[in-house]
Amino acid sequence: NKGILKYGYRGKKAVDKELSQLHNRQVFKPVRLSELTQKEKQRAMNSLIFLTEKRDGTIKARACANGSTQRSYIEKHEAASPTVSTEALLTTAVIDAKQNRDIITLDIPNAFVQTPMPKSQQRVIMRINGLLVEYLDKLFPGEYNEYIINQNNTKILYVEMEKALYGMMLSSLLFYKHFRKDLESIGFVVNPYDICVANRKINGHQQTITWHV
C-alpha cells in the first residue's frame, strides 16, 4: 500500500507485471478455504510484494512469500542450498587464467519461479491479502473470483504453490536440485569434492561451471 502511494501509477504497473508473471508461469493455483486442513490454514504463508526504484527510474516489483511460518516444521539445515566454496572459485579462476579460457558470468532471471514444487511433499499454501487480491481479480477476471473470501472487510485468496517462490525456506535447495539435474542432462559431471562445480568435454576441451544460489 505504501509503495502504491509513493509511486502511484508506475507502482501499480510494476505490481501488475509481477502478478501477471506469477499467473502466466503457473506459480500457484487457487484453492477453496473449505478444501484446506486446519494444519494447512495454520501454516499458510502471507504473500508480500516489495517495490523499489531502479537507477533508471523504473519501478521494480518483487513478489515473495513470508516463509517464517515454515520455521516451525522445517529445520534450517534441511532447507540450506549448497554454494560454491571460495577455494573452488579461486582454483578454477587460476586454471582459467593459466589456460587462457574464455569466461562468462551470468544470472538466471526469475530462477525460483521456474522451479516446480515436488509432488511428493505436502502441499504449500500461501495467503494473498487485500489489494493484491483485487489486482489479480482485475487482471484475470473469472480466474480467481469464486475462490476469494472476505474476512474482516479484507479480501483473501488462498493458493497452492506449484513453483518455488522467493521467501519460501525450500526455494534455494529446490532450485539447486533442478539446476543440477539440468546440467547433468547436457553432459556435465558434478565434482565430488564441491557439488557446485561441474565439468564436461566439448570438442576435446574442458568446460567448467561454478555456481551459487
Side-chain angles (χ1 to χ4, degrees):
N1 290 335
K2 289 182 179 179
I4 297 298
L5 283 174
K6 181 174 182 178
Y7 299 119
Y9 178 75
R10 293 187 301 152
K12 183 181 182 305
K13 292 296 289 183
V15 172
D16 285 351
K17 182 179 178 181
E18 183 73 353
L19 290 176
S20 295
Q21 176 183 236
L22 298 183
H23 173 86
N24 293 330
R25 288 187 179 273
Q26 299 178 326
V27 175
F28 49 66
K29 64 179 181 181
V31 293
R32 302 182 195 281
L33 180 62
S34 58
E35 297 173 353
L36 301 178
T37 66
Q38 189 60 33
K39 182 182 287 187
E40 287 174 333
K41 293 175 188 176
Q42 292 172 346
R43 291 180 172 181
M45 309 173 295
N46 278 313
S47 65
L48 303 168
I49 281 194
F50 295 98
L51 294 177
T52 55
E53 186 171 9
K54 301 172 75 173
R55 291 181 182 180
D56 62 1
T58 59
I59 306 302
K60 167 71 176 176
R62 166 59 60 82
C64 62
N66 183 356
S68 60
T69 57
Q70 297 181 312
R71 293 175 187 163
S72 62
Y73 62 95
I74 298 177
E75 295 292 337
K76 190 173 182 180
H77 66 87
E78 294 176 352
S81 170
T83 192
V84 64
S85 66
T86 302
E87 292 83 358
L89 194 61
L90 292 174
T91 301
T92 55
V94 170
I95 295 171
D96 294 338
K98 180 68 175 178
Q99 297 183 353
N100 195 30
R101 293 189 181 190
D102 294 325
I103 309 296
I104 184 171
T105 59
L106 58 91
D107 174 53
I108 300 176
N110 308 310
F112 287 175
V113 296
Q114 299 181 59
T115 306
M117 294 290 291
K119 297 300 181 183
S120 58
Q121 291 187 336
Q122 292 182 340
R123 60 181 185 173
V124 177
I125 304 299
M126 184 171 72
R127 181 174 52 242
I128 304 174
N129 304 296
L131 202 57
L132 296 182
V133 178
E134 295 178 17
Y135 284 1
L136 262 179
D137 194 29
K138 288 179 182 177
L139 285 168
F140 306 100
E143 296 274 354
Y144 298 99
N145 186 265
E146 61 182 291
Y147 298 91
I148 297 172
I149 61 173
N150 277 282
Q151 289 184 351
N152 300 322
N153 295 321
T154 300
K155 289 185 177 180
I156 295 175
L157 173 67
Y158 286 90
V159 294
E160 178 184 349
M161 304 308 298
E162 300 271 86
K163 305 282 180 62
L165 188 65
Y166 290 95
M168 291 168 50
M169 286 189 67
L170 288 173
S171 291
S172 294
L173 182 58
L174 290 175
F175 176 72
Y176 168 83
K177 292 178 177 179
H178 182 58
F179 185 63
R180 175 173 172 167
K181 184 178 179 181
D182 283 347
L183 289 178
E184 291 174 327
S185 73
I186 56 173
F188 278 97
V189 177
V190 175
N191 189 301
Y193 300 101
D194 190 317
I195 57 175
C196 287
V197 179
N199 296 281
R200 69 174 174 176
K201 288 287 187 179
I202 301 178
N203 298 326
H205 297 279
Q206 187 186 60
Q207 181 182 19
T208 301
I209 181 169
T210 63
W211 72 96
H212 71 274
V213 183

